[in-house]
Amino acid sequence: MKSTSEIRAAFLAFFGDRDHQVVASSSLVPADDPTLLFTNAGMVQFKDVFLGAEQRPYRRAVTAQRCVRAGGKHNDLDQVGYTARHHTFFEMLGNFSFGDYFKADAIRYAWELLTAEFGIPAERLWVTVYETDDEAYAVWKDAIGVEPGRIIRVGDKPGGAPYDSDNFWAMGDTGPCGPCTEIFYDHGPGIDGGPPGSPDEDGDRYVEVWNLVFMQYDRAADGSLTPLPAPCVDTGMGLERIAAVLQGTHDNYHTDLFRHLTAAAAELTGAADPDSKSLRVIADHIRACAFLVADGVLPSNEGRGYVLRRIIRRAVRHGFMLGRKEPFFHLMVGPLVEVMGEACPELARQAERVGTVLEEEEIRFARTLDTGMAILEKVMEQAHARRGQIDGKTAFELYDTYGFPLDLTEDIARENGLTVDLAGFEAEMAEQKARGRRSGKFRQRDQISAEAIKALQPTEFTGYAELASEGVRLIGILVDGELVEALEPGQSALLVLDRTPFYAESGGQVGDTGVLRNEEACFRVEDTVKLAAVFHAHVGTLEAGGLAAGDRLDAAVDGERRAAVVRHHSATHLMHKALRDVLGAHVEQRGSLVAPEYLRFDFSHPRQVTGEELREIERQVNRAIRDNPAANAEVMGFEEAMETGAVALFGEKYGDQVRVMRLGDSVELCGGTHVRRVGDIGQFKITGESAIGAGIRRIEAVAGEAAVASMQQTEARLQEVAQVLKVAPDALEARLQQLLERNRALEKEVDAIKSSLASSSTGDLAGQAEEVEGVKVLSCRLDDTDAKALREGVDRLKDRLGSAVVVLAGVESGKVRIAAGVTKDLVSRFRAGELVNFVAQQVGGKGGGRPDFAQAGGTRPEHLDKALSTVSAWVKGKN
């Protein structure tokens, strides 16, 4: 039996021995592709190569690509754990040909690997081909020797458009496309299901293990197909599926990797059933969550972070269902590293940080559960009075605002004899998705059609050497990603030039602004973005004249703005070097923004950066500025650059040739624009440091004129404060210390006065106690009394009355405060926590505490008097 790790290694070695470049898995966050939420297939990192927008020094490649399908179009999250093969995270084994070999070789390689290398009996393999792909059919039948009865032609879906088939693949509505052939494994008659194309093909007996896509056509907008001059091959085989086949099981969760993870989950949760659906969910979800965090995604309420949060909370919810109430999910990182750390060393390096992020989210979810339960209890009271159903809008609010899973709401509702309006919930979910599309989370302006890519040539960037270029040619006008012939005044568009001095947003550096003009037209450039990694698109509006493709223009960048951006960008490099020197080599960039006004830099670090450390970082950067070395940029091979010690930045996509930027001791891979000499930065000042997630810190800083302005503003504020306090600026610290000490003394005096007044007041209140069934009961309202005074008042009244039940409450700043006390001789009959909750629920709150003392709060002060009047009845009801 081959282990999962051995299968992965054997696949890469097989194609590596056949002249394929072994390419490392790319990040789960797609680089330079705003149209994708996550990397969801092996071909994602080669997308621009297939489109013809990028050239690689190799024509054959092989990868073991990490993928996530848990959001957007590819979302099977609710099925994960309940089927044998659905996952949020999986590894796609793939071999690729960029205009090199085609169908015959691709099929031969696949067959040789499966039957000779992996030893799968040929008679257990079935294949499908597109119904008109006679070439692939002939290869399988004549060259490979598969029996015709095990070769199935698959046509277009009934009622669908042409080429709408499981065996025809397209990158989009237009562009590269072609037929595919799929390889299936027959698990045998002991498993339900029929061969592909049969009525019961959805069973588990015949499982697709490998898909070979043959991109041989270019599809036009009218649906017509034109043969590509250099057809390509894109294949994908799920590592988890082929591991199940080679390890003799039809269930992915019975493979070695998942058995280790489910066993770890069972130990942490105390689950007795090793095939528990909840254990499967936890085992699957830890892979997705750990690798997403390692690739820089953090839990949040939007985009990728929202998907991550949902997956984490689903895993934690299943832990709750198994009886584990304490944080446990983060402890799964260790077992995951044990089985995947060798193949994915970046996970092992970041294991501690990943665990911290997951633990914080678990703790946060525990708090939201408390909040959600409080809301749900009120809703259930109202639902009982109506139709016995929780409305969909409320269920969605619990899910969307408080992270309360729908299945949890359904479970609790069921336990209380209620149902949930699922149709209403889905309607709210659909509206949220519509809002998301309208908000343009993945910006339409950053898209470009395959037709446009074919028609355009890559932009030549001249902006390293100049800020203005004369006579550039307008080669494309893009509106909603599509090419148009002309532009009229007032219209907005993206203009693509044959060459440009405008820097396109990349690597954290914002895009340039400026103007494109000729004698008749003026186009105001509001931003510059990069499309398909090779086109600089000038975003803006035509203010005057008309423009048509082929026109000549003069391009002028806003030089003052660019200079400010450049100073901040070069300062970012110096600060990155200083961070690693001062804090340690563990510091890695996790994101950045380089703007004209300031810079922002996110980096990995387990704790707050101290004041002295920040000052030392500042000193190092300013020292480098004073040293004033020349900036030096050099283009070299990626491996050569790594050997020089250059730092590669997080989240960036690098080709085989890279630009190495040297600024004194700082050496990084960078395609951005920089100062000519480090001294041109002028001055550097850190303005803030904060946490943005577990193990991730953020520094904001300013450089050049912005740094001078920041320091002048700080000095001006100090002068103003000094004038108010009537001291010299250098005496401010001593003066403030005096004021603080005086303030503390006054606070003590106020507390003493309040305590004296409260003591006097409680003496009067004791006389208002009434006797209920032989028990002294006192419930009084004391407005504008803080929690401490209420607590002390309850204690005094208990002492004065000897044996009693006491409730004091009041309204302060619009909020209800409640304190309840029970003398020790009565706690066996009356519990303060139960009493305080009884009162608090009537004023929109809840609370708790010890049997003899408890506190609570509320949000409905208008109900307080009525609530206090019910205390005697509560005591009476307990007798």
Side-chain angles (χ1 to χ4, degrees), residues 65-88:
Q65 175 64 50
R66 297 187 291 276
C67 301
V68 164
R69 292 185 182 177
K73 178 181 177 182
H74 300 287
N75 187 8
D76 300 323
L77 184 59
D78 294 335
Q79 299 181 60
V80 172
Y82 292 85
T83 71
R85 293 185 297 278
H86 278 101
H87 301 292
T88 54

Side-chain angles (χ1 to χ4, degrees), residues 791 795 798 820-822 824 827 830-834 836 848-855:
R791 182 174 66 250
D795 288 341
K798 285 164 58 179
V822 178
K824 292 192 180 296
V827 292
F830 313 106
R831 303 183 74 82
E834 185 180 347
V836 85
R850 306 187 308 271
D852 62 329
F853 179 79
Q855 298 179 95

Side-chain angles (χ1 to χ4, degrees), residues 81 86 114 151 194 254 277 339 419 462 523 527 577 617 734 758 782:
H86 278 101
L114 293 175
I151 309 173
H254 287 169
K277 305 297 185 187
V339 291
T419 60
T462 62
F523 184 89
D527 194 6
K577 176 65 167 60
I617 291 164
L782 300 174

Side-chain angles (χ1 to χ4, degrees), residues 654-668:
Y654 295 108
D656 293 285
Q657 292 293 303
V658 294
R659 185 169 180 260
V660 179
M661 193 71 215
R662 185 180 295 275
L663 297 161
D665 293 336
S666 168
V667 185
E668 293 188 12

Side-chain angles (χ1 to χ4, degrees), residues 2-77:
K2 287 182 177 289
S3 70
T4 304
S5 294
E6 290 170 337
I7 295 168
R8 183 193 299 109
F11 180 88
L12 296 174
F14 178 88
F15 284 100
D17 291 342
R18 288 155 181 80
D19 301 321
H20 288 65
Q21 176 70 40
V22 179
V23 181
S25 172
S26 63
S27 169
L28 289 173
V29 179
D32 295 327
D33 192 344
T35 66
L36 279 179
L37 195 65
F38 300 113
T39 297
N40 56 22
M43 60 79 61
V44 168
Q45 68 168 307
F46 302 116
K47 181 178 178 181
D48 293 335
V49 180
F50 286 125
L51 289 170
E54 180 185 353
Q55 298 295 321
R56 298 280 179 101
Y58 46 83
R59 299 181 67 192
R60 300 181 175 199
V62 60
T63 67
Q65 175 64 50
R66 297 187 291 276
C67 301
V68 164
R69 292 185 182 177
K73 178 181 177 182
H74 300 287
N75 187 8
D76 300 323
L77 184 59

Side-chain angles (χ1 to χ4, degrees), residues 515-565:
V515 66
L516 304 174
R517 67 169 75 244
N518 57 26
E519 292 181 357
E520 292 82 25
C522 178
F523 184 89
R524 184 67 56 185
V525 180
E526 300 158 3
D527 194 6
T528 309
V529 297
K530 191 172 285 188
L531 304 180
V534 295
F535 306 111
H536 288 230
H538 305 76
V539 183
T541 304
L542 184 60
E543 295 182 342
L547 284 176
D551 285 354
R552 293 285 178 177
L553 294 162
D554 292 337
V557 173
D558 181 337
E560 186 174 339
R561 180 178 181 274
R562 163 77 83 83
V565 172

Side-chain angles (χ1 to χ4, degrees), residues 763-775:
D764 296 336
L765 290 175
Q768 299 179 29
E770 61 177 321
E771 191 165 304
V772 178
E773 302 285 344
V775 177

